[in-house]
Amino acid sequence: MRNRAMMGLLGGMALVLIAGSPGAASAASDGAAALAERQAVMWSMQVHFNAIKDAIGAGNNKAVEDHASAINGFAKVLVNFFPKGSGPEAGKSRALPKIWEEWDEFTKRPEALAVESEKLMQIAKSGGDAKAMGDQFGALGKNACGTCHQNYRAPR
Amino acid sequence: MGAAWPGVSSAADADAVKRGAYLFNAAGCVSCHTDFKNGGPPLAGGRALKTPFGTFYGPNITPDVEHGIGGWSDADFVRALRQGVAPDGSSYFPVFPYTSFTRIREQDLLDIKAYIFSLPPSPTPSRPHEIEFPFGWRFLMGAWKWLNFEPGPMAAAADGDELARGAYLVEALAHCGECHTPRDMLGGSDREQALAGATEGPEGESVPNITPDPETGIGDWSVQDFLWLLKAGILPDGDVVGSLMGEVVEHSTSKLTEADQRAIAVYLRSRPAVRHKVGKRP
């Protein structure tokens, strides 16, 4: 019982935190703003991706680990950037309505992103070579980003 | 068990099956012949492909005798891929990319068949295509072929000839041009704009120009850029592809050796640049 109350309290605090963050607050009230924010964070992921490419090429394990860590953090908040009403109805977006139709399924997706980015962090941290980091970076792109884009993003 | 595994009795030797598995991935067969979205059995058909000419469903190509290709001889298989003609003499619609597969060398075709025949059969009936008038008239395919089809395999390449290997992968096995080359009103490839992209490709997607034009194509891509794309779907701008190219990466290019991925890059970079801006769909 106490645990449950504690969980409820923590959950409530988390909600307050999320609602207080610019992402979700305006999301509820303004689909277009939420869409713009989502596209901005997705763009920042692309920047981290390119930084990892460069870092693998340069053999800079620390940078690979740090950028993988940023992606890992993103996995935890990703679905917060998909509030209802922020799809194509809110502006130019390739997000498919399926996201909100099968929300429970969709919200499981970032798990792969968390797992694959964590693996990349560990490989970089433990001194993995370019091949090992490259293979895991590939798995991250293909199994995490790629499968979600295949299922939930419309073609260009 | 013998009846359930019709093809395997014909001494499909293990090496051929192994080589065939690799070529089968290079040719991306599974993408169209498996209904992943609905959890269909491997190669038992059913994947819908929407095109301007209608919606096509990849047929069952498991070695099931009744619903698949279990009853096909080597000659039947070679003729289907080389000439686009079914064992009953009817012509395939060119959504089946025999226009590219015709360039696959005979031994490679037979290895692919050996691999397919080593897989379990599935008694799943193939789904009929839904074709827009008037493209459904199969007898017109003869005229279409006369206009648009040059049958025959590519010449063998010397070992270590990276450019020739890349050409074979791009033009024959991986059949890149089937989506990346624009089509005319009758669905024939526009050879002058080979690989220069298409505004209206399969599934209504716009397909990028992959000739080395610096502005409208991939002129500014390094070999390494290609490797990231073909291995993992990662584009030079850090985005990760979804949709049809995502499927191609998942089922085909990511399974190639790095030497073959590199050969594809080298070949594509060597081709003439075609300036062709592909329109974005609204």
Side-chain angles (χ1 to χ4, degrees):
Chain A
M1 247 350 244
R2 249 186 86 189
N3 272 346
R4 216 185 240 183
M6 193 55 128
M7 291 292 278
L9 188 63
L10 283 174
M13 281 165 63
L15 273 179
V16 170
L17 283 174
I18 291 168
S21 73
S26 52
S29 54
D30 187 349
L35 169 57
E37 284 164 7
R38 176 168 71 245
Q39 287 171 341
V41 285
M42 286 293 184
W43 169 247
S44 78
M45 285 303 108
Q46 291 179 226
V47 177
H48 287 298
F49 255 64
N50 275 338
I52 292 177
K53 274 191 221 169
D54 293 344
I56 291 176
N60 184 344
N61 285 43
K62 178 75 170 70
V64 173
E65 188 194 339
D66 290 346
H67 288 287
S69 163
I71 291 168
N72 189 261
F74 178 62
K76 298 186 182 77
V77 295
L78 189 157
V79 300
N80 298 346
F81 291 97
F82 286 86
K84 213 166 166 34
S86 68
E89 69 274 24
K92 201 162 174 281
S93 168
R94 289 154 70 198
L96 292 175
K98 223 173 109 186
I99 291 170
W100 295 279
E101 286 158 18
E102 46 181 67
W103 183 251
D104 288 348
E105 187 52 40
F106 177 74
T107 51
K108 288 180 200 147
R109 292 299 181 129
E111 179 64 20
L113 191 61
V115 170
E116 300 290 2
S117 55
E118 172 76 30
K119 279 190 204 159
L120 181 56
M121 287 161 65
Q122 294 311 325
I123 290 169
K125 195 174 182 173
S126 60
D129 62 9
K131 166 94 173 71
M133 291 192 290
D135 285 350
Q136 181 52 34
F137 184 46
L140 170 64
K142 196 156 65 78
N143 304 339
C145 312
T147 52
C148 212
H149 287 175
Q150 269 186 53
N151 282 286
Y152 295 106
R153 187 171 72 169
R156 233 182 262 267
Chain B
M1 220 35 212
W5 295 83
V8 183
S9 56
S10 63
D13 77 77
D15 274 355
V17 170
K18 208 172 149 192
R19 287 194 307 266
Y22 184 82
L23 295 160
F24 174 90
N25 287 333
C29 314
V30 80
S31 284
C32 284
H33 289 285
T34 301
D35 188 8
F36 287 102
K37 275 201 178 123
N38 298 305
L43 300 188
R47 184 230 205 276
L49 198 68
K50 290 197 191 81
T51 78
F53 308 99
T55 299
F56 295 85
Y57 297 93
N60 183 337
I61 57 163
T62 69
D64 185 76
V65 174
E66 193 183 341
H67 297 289
I69 63 168
W72 289 24
S73 66
D74 285 358
D76 288 339
F77 189 83
V78 170
R79 188 163 73 137
L81 279 88
R82 177 89 73 229
Q83 307 289 345
V85 174
D88 70 5
S90 64
S91 284
Y92 291 117
F93 294 107
V95 66
F96 170 53
Y98 65 85
T99 39
S100 294
F101 291 162
T102 190
R103 304 185 185 115
I104 301 177
R105 297 188 271 269
E106 177 138 342
Q107 186 56 53
D108 288 349
L109 288 176
L110 296 175
D111 289 348
I112 292 172
K113 177 172 179 280
Y115 171 68
I116 291 175
F117 275 60
S118 75
L119 300 171
S122 167
T124 309
S126 294
R127 192 167 165 182
H129 305 310
E130 293 153 16
I131 302 163
E132 301 288 336
F133 179 82
F135 302 109
W137 294 341
R138 276 190 199 251
F139 64 86
L140 289 177
M141 290 316 302
W144 187 91
K145 277 183 177 171
W146 183 78
L147 285 168
N148 295 301
F149 179 49
E150 291 164 44
M154 288 171 80
D159 273 350
D161 184 340
E162 200 174 36
L163 205 57
R165 176 67 183 169
Y168 186 56
L169 285 160
V170 168
E171 305 287 353
L173 286 163
H175 59 282
C176 309
E178 299 290 339
C179 290
H180 286 280
T181 297
R183 292 176 188 271
D184 59 27
M185 274 173 61
L186 292 175
S189 290
D190 179 354
R191 300 304 302 167
E192 288 186 4
Q193 304 224 63
L195 301 174
T199 298
E200 177 122 12
E203 303 280 83
E205 295 188 19
S206 71
V207 189
N209 180 344
I210 54 169
T211 73
D213 183 62
E215 275 174 52
T216 61
I218 46 84
D220 58 350
W221 286 36
S222 66
V223 170
Q224 186 61 51
D225 286 335
F226 277 97
L227 294 183
W228 285 126
L229 173 68
L230 300 174
K231 272 176 202 293
I234 302 166
L235 291 163
D237 70 358
D239 191 8
V240 179
V241 295
S243 55
L244 285 175
M245 192 62 196
E247 291 181 27
V248 171
V249 170
E250 181 179 354
H251 301 303
S252 180
T253 61
S254 67
K255 299 185 174 180
L256 297 176
T257 61
E258 187 165 318
D260 273 353
Q261 291 164 341
R262 198 172 280 278
I264 290 174
V266 167
Y267 174 69
L268 287 176
R269 280 160 49 92
S270 78
R271 290 186 46 81
V274 179
R275 196 179 169 81
H276 179 228
K277 192 163 170 56
V278 174
K280 287 209 166 137
R281 291 173 60 79

